[in-house]
Amino acid sequence: MNLGRFRANVLAIAYREAIVLRHDRAFIGVVVAQPVMMLVLFGLVLSNEPANVPWAVLDRSATPVSRRLIEEVQRTGYFRKPRPIAGYAEGRDLLRRGATLAVLVIPKDFRRDVERGRPAVQLLLDGSDPLSAARIGGYVGQVAARFETRRRPPPAVHLAPRVTAPVDVRQRFWFNPTLSDRTFFLSALAGMLLTNLCLSVTALGLVGERETGTYEQVLALPTTSVEIVLGKILPYVAVAYAILVGSTVAAGVVFGVWPRGSWIALLLATLPFVVASLAIGVFVSALAHRSAQAVFITVFFILPSFVLSGVMFPYQLMPPGIRQLGGLFPLRWYQIALRRIVERGGGLADVAVPCLALAVLFAVLLAAIRLRMRPRLG
Amino acid sequence: MSWRRLRTLLLREVRATLRDPFTVTILVTVPLAALLAFGFVLATDVKHLELGVLDASDSPESRRLLADLGAGGTFDLRRVTTREEIARALVRGDVGAALVIPPDFARDLRDADAGGPPPEVQVIYDGGEAVLAGNAEGFLQALVAATGRALVPRAPTGGVAVSTRALFNPRLDGRPFMVAGTFGFVLSFLTTLITAVSIVNERLTGTFDQLQVTPATSVEILLGKILPLGAVFAFDVVLMMLVAGLALGVWPHGSALFFVAVSTGYVFISLALGLIFSATSATAAEAVQKTVLFSIPLVQLSGFAFAVRNMPLVFRALAETFPATHYIRVCRAIYLRGAGPLELLPELAVLTGVGIVLVAMALRTIESRA
């Protein structure tokens, strides 16, 4: 193969593709609108942190000390105003209807128990939303554990005044001290945006071209199919980098989530991911016969890759089997690299393994495409 | 309306659908794949989290603490010898959390037993994995506290003990939550998409015009189109329920019949939406784009994965306008809390109202295009 001619062919096709893109209003709209929409969703709207939690209180003690406990739970800021109820049956009914997420039951002898030093309360949670239930349980538990049962000040010898556990666990959350979901989502945002872009444009573009017959015109050129594919994906690589830089800067300016690690590592790690994702799009286009089919395959590839890769849910908690399955999606490895660079301030050496995995995925996909995509007519 | 003409149209639609292997595959595999993929992703417990351990005390007491931490399968301990090593392992993501036991740990424990301040340990979490760190925190605190109580029996116990019970799902298993939501996802997204594409395709190939020159009225054509699709999705609901039960062990707590009935009703809302998208699109690609554009916020805002409650007020109001939000709520209520029609009256009323409006709109768009 003549290298000079190869390059000229690839560039010629890339040039043609870039011109087509420039005139595609819908494409430009998607490229601009989608990052904005995702930035708003993941920066502002979506969160696992409980807020506005409706709860009910069955206060059988009805003493100042029980009211103080309720007030302290309320003061954490996660809860709405508690709804007083008169009995268990009412609480269960509220839980069943989904009108409340938690019911705090304070026993009749609460004040006496406080004086004797062994107070206990009961918390009923709506387990149907397990993540919220777990967190709400945690918040109430923390408030209760630190609850000052005695009015008198703690003995002076205690340096840490409100420590009551036998071992004092001093904890810190590195990289994201307030454990905000926003940092978690935004640091992987580029991965979601690029997955959408790379998969949908190549798959739809190639199939659309086959439908309108322009693909056959390209086939009639003195170019090999590898040259065509490379030439066609080159402009998208450029668009992908524009989106990466744009969304990273926007996340930094608007939400203060700047990459802590090296920009060079960020830019370099993106390349194997983008080409692997584009290769998937090309592969989908080789499988599909009609645009509608390409869309179906693309959409139903994008969704599991979001869900299983770890951009939205921690992949570390998924059961074995499902966890490994997620490793087949390029997004899994890219989001690992992104988190290391953006959140934890990693450099090139830290992302070598995910980059290698992406390169392997790309090589496998390329082989599959060569097998599937012989130049063919109609 | 003539039953005979409608029956002919229905038969035609069923045959046309069955002859298209791609659509049949999509209709069966997507719901099941979504169920199996989504069913496993939400977990509240922590298993085999790599915990970096720097034991500067290296005493019988600290070893006891570590043995307890490593015993339950929650944490996999990984020994490190320096603080730098901890930092490196956290950056690389090799460990999700790290525990530092200070050199004086054993002495502090004995002091505590004699009435002194409690001994300290330090825990550093990888906050980058916010959900994971949040979950791990609770487990680690509880394990350390349990060991501490065993080592320091005379430690001051203050605070209020909370005995927590999660109703409907005592082990806080993520599967039922996600399975119930998947019904909403499939019946909102796939149904609308398939309907829109199938009608646009028909218009593109010209068979829609052929139908309109037959004696059939546009309402009959419409019903002939959507009734078979409705039946297919009702079948999908039953199929998904069976697979969720047999493969994931998630059966509805409430009445299965009631669930199928509500779901079938909801299918018609999605069908109507698909009709509206297709009627306002010139090409299949446009219909698909509209559906996808509409569905991304729908999936994200409907409470499928992230609770509506946690959103800012404007978005909460927006989410309430989506029928999918209400349907997903109903699914979870029936599946997890065993709710019946009486408890769900407000949600069902909203769904019915939205359904009537959408079906009326769909009929009008068809009439005006006819």
Side-chain angles (χ1 to χ4, degrees):
Chain A
M1 191 161 50
N2 181 332
L3 205 66
R5 213 187 109 186
F6 177 74
R7 210 187 54 183
N9 281 345
V10 169
L11 286 180
I13 291 178
Y15 179 69
R16 170 210 178 254
E17 190 69 19
I19 300 230
V20 172
L21 278 190
R22 214 187 61 200
H23 291 284
D24 189 346
R25 287 267 173 79
F27 172 75
I28 293 172
V30 168
V31 163
V32 175
Q34 206 170 46
V36 174
M37 194 172 86
M38 298 277 264
L39 210 61
V40 170
L41 274 180
F42 285 102
L44 212 62
V45 180
L46 302 179
S47 166
N48 284 314
E49 192 184 1
N52 311 304
V53 173
W55 65 308
V57 174
L58 176 55
D59 186 359
R60 287 192 167 141
S61 163
T63 49
V65 65
S66 73
R67 281 192 285 271
R68 191 157 56 83
L69 179 68
I70 296 166
E71 197 182 299
E72 282 192 20
V73 172
Q74 170 84 38
R75 233 187 289 150
T76 55
Y78 301 107
F79 298 87
R80 282 200 212 148
K81 243 175 84 73
R83 179 169 171 166
I85 53 172
Y88 267 100
E90 196 183 346
R92 275 178 179 275
D93 186 50
L94 286 175
L95 284 168
R96 186 178 299 276
R97 279 197 285 130
T100 173
L101 275 185
V103 175
L104 181 68
V105 183
I106 303 178
K108 206 165 182 321
D109 303 330
F110 184 67
R111 198 176 64 171
R112 202 194 60 203
D113 292 344
V114 164
E115 278 157 8
R116 291 185 182 173
R118 292 229 311 269
V121 294
Q122 192 187 23
L123 184 68
L124 301 177
L125 292 169
D126 171 6
S128 63
D129 180 352
L131 210 57
S132 301
R135 297 227 173 163
I136 294 167
Y139 297 144
V140 175
Q142 278 171 22
V143 169
R146 272 177 300 187
F147 187 67
E148 292 273 353
T149 48
R150 269 155 286 240
R151 279 299 167 88
R152 60 186 162 81
V157 286
H158 284 216
L159 288 175
R162 305 230 285 187
V163 167
T164 46
V167 176
D168 182 11
V169 179
R170 293 293 167 95
Q171 47 187 18
R172 262 192 292 158
F173 297 97
W174 275 15
F175 316 124
N176 181 8
T178 56
L179 271 196
S180 88
D181 280 335
R182 174 183 292 172
T183 316
F184 177 74
F185 290 138
L186 286 185
S187 55
L189 179 73
M192 294 190 249
L193 289 173
L194 296 187
T195 302
N196 275 345
L197 172 86
C198 297
L199 256 73
S200 53
V201 290
T202 41
L204 292 182
L206 286 175
V207 176
E209 221 163 288
R210 205 177 298 145
E211 275 182 340
T212 52
T214 45
Y215 188 70
E216 283 161 24
Q217 291 171 7
V218 178
L219 275 188
L221 296 172
T223 48
T224 64
S225 59
V226 174
E227 286 167 355
I228 298 177
V229 168
L230 278 182
K232 288 188 81 78
I233 68 178
L234 215 55
Y236 296 117
V237 175
V239 176
Y241 269 97
I243 290 186
L244 169 74
V245 174
S247 69
T248 309
V249 170
V253 171
V254 182
F255 297 109
V257 182
W258 289 102
R260 299 212 185 110
S262 116
W263 271 89
I264 294 171
L266 182 65
L267 295 176
L268 280 179
T270 301
L271 190 65
F273 172 67
V274 167
V275 290
S277 300
L278 287 170
I280 289 176
V282 173
F283 189 64
V284 167
S285 78
L287 287 179
H289 302 290
R290 284 182 279 121
S291 298
Q293 291 184 353
V295 172
F296 278 118
I297 301 178
T298 310
V299 168
F300 294 113
F301 182 86
I302 289 179
L303 274 161
S305 78
F306 277 20
V307 170
L308 296 179
S309 66
V311 291
M312 287 159 75
F313 307 97
Y315 70 92
Q316 295 93 329
L317 297 183
M318 293 173 196
I322 300 285
R323 198 205 291 209
Q324 282 77 7
L325 186 72
L328 297 178
F329 296 97
L331 187 55
R332 158 70 64 80
W333 301 102
Y334 187 52
Q335 72 97 14
I336 291 178
L338 277 177
R339 289 196 198 289
R340 286 187 192 173
I341 298 168
V342 177
E343 284 186 307
R344 308 193 190 111
L348 263 185
D350 298 310
V351 295
V353 174
C355 285
L356 195 70
L358 284 170
V360 170
L361 280 176
F362 177 60
V364 171
L365 281 163
L366 214 56
I369 290 170
R370 287 198 70 151
L371 218 67
R372 244 339 269 215
M373 236 175 96
R374 293 280 144 74
R376 56 182 172 153
L377 293 176
Chain B
M1 185 154 54
S2 134
W3 165 240
R4 219 169 52 87
R5 282 202 301 261
L6 183 59
R7 203 181 52 187
T8 316
L9 285 168
L10 288 176
L11 271 176
R12 164 195 171 271
E13 186 63 32
V14 171
R15 285 207 189 121
T17 310
L18 289 182
R19 284 225 181 116
D20 179 6
F22 184 79
T23 310
V24 174
T25 319
I26 288 273
L27 283 173
V28 175
T29 49
V30 169
L32 299 188
L35 203 60
L36 296 176
F38 293 151
F40 289 109
V41 295
L42 187 73
T44 50
D45 55 345
V46 177
K47 279 191 201 109
H48 299 290
L49 181 73
E50 297 281 347
L51 177 73
V53 174
L54 174 56
D55 183 3
S57 162
D58 199 21
S59 54
E61 288 84 355
S62 71
R63 283 194 289 272
R64 162 88 190 270
L65 178 66
L66 294 181
D68 287 355
L69 277 175
T74 307
F75 298 102
D76 288 345
L77 305 190
R78 185 185 286 201
R79 297 262 172 182
V80 293
T81 44
T82 61
R83 280 192 166 262
E84 288 72 45
E85 229 176 304
I86 291 180
R88 237 184 350 250
L90 278 166
V91 170
R92 296 176 61 92
D94 290 344
V95 298
L99 172 74
V100 182
I101 304 178
D104 306 334
F105 181 70
R107 206 191 60 208
D108 290 349
L109 261 179
R110 283 190 288 277
D111 289 353
D113 209 20
E120 268 178 32
V121 295
Q122 189 187 28
V123 184
I124 305 161
Y125 297 92
D126 171 7
E129 295 282 353
V131 182
L132 191 61
N135 292 352
E137 180 196 358
F139 281 92
L140 202 132
Q141 293 259 23
L143 284 172
V144 172
T147 307
R149 263 192 294 280
L151 289 172
V152 196
R154 270 172 290 170
T157 49
V160 175
V162 182
S163 72
T164 305
R165 255 183 62 205
L167 303 178
F168 317 122
N169 181 10
R171 286 174 36 238
L172 292 184
D173 182 2
R175 273 178 296 180
F177 179 78
M178 291 306 282
V179 163
T182 306
F183 283 96
F185 167 74
V186 168
L187 291 191
S188 309
F189 190 37
L190 189 62
T191 313
T192 314
L193 200 59
I194 293 251
T195 315
V197 169
S198 116
I199 289 177
V200 171
N201 272 341
E202 187 131 7
R203 200 175 307 130
L204 282 180
T205 51
T207 45
F208 203 72
D209 294 333
Q210 289 172 11
L211 282 181
Q212 284 186 329
V213 296
T214 61
T217 63
S218 52
V219 174
E220 283 168 1
I221 297 176
L222 179 80
L223 284 179
K225 198 85 208 148
I226 68 171
L227 283 182
L229 274 173
V232 167
F233 282 103
F235 166 76
D236 262 341
V237 170
V238 176
L239 188 69
M240 284 170 74
M241 286 174 78
L242 286 177
V243 171
L246 296 173
L248 302 170
V250 178
W251 297 100
H253 275 155
S255 149
L257 212 62
F258 175 49
F259 183 74
V260 174
V262 172
S263 301
T264 312
Y266 180 69
V267 164
F268 284 94
I269 292 183
S270 298
L271 290 173
L273 266 178
L275 277 174
I276 294 169
F277 286 139
S278 70
T280 51
S281 309
T283 64
E286 200 186 319
V288 165
Q289 267 171 4
K290 262 184 204 160
T291 314
V292 172
L293 216 66
F294 181 79
S295 332
I296 291 173
L298 185 139
V299 171
Q300 307 283 25
L301 295 177
S302 65
F304 168 62
F306 302 97
V308 175
R309 189 183 335 108
N310 305 346
M311 299 172 186
L313 187 65
V314 182
F315 291 93
R316 258 185 286 155
L318 184 67
E320 291 297 329
T321 64
F322 297 157
T325 310
H326 298 276
Y327 175 62
I328 287 177
R329 227 172 260 163
V330 169
C331 286
R332 295 207 169 119
I334 300 175
Y335 243 86
L336 286 124
R337 302 198 295 267
L342 274 179
E343 282 133 330
L344 292 170
L345 220 49
E347 301 289 346
L348 293 178
V350 171
L351 280 175
T352 315
V354 172
I356 290 170
V357 171
L358 283 177
V359 171
M361 271 172 71
L363 280 173
R364 275 195 55 185
T365 44
I366 293 289
E367 295 276 351
S368 62
R369 302 276 305 198

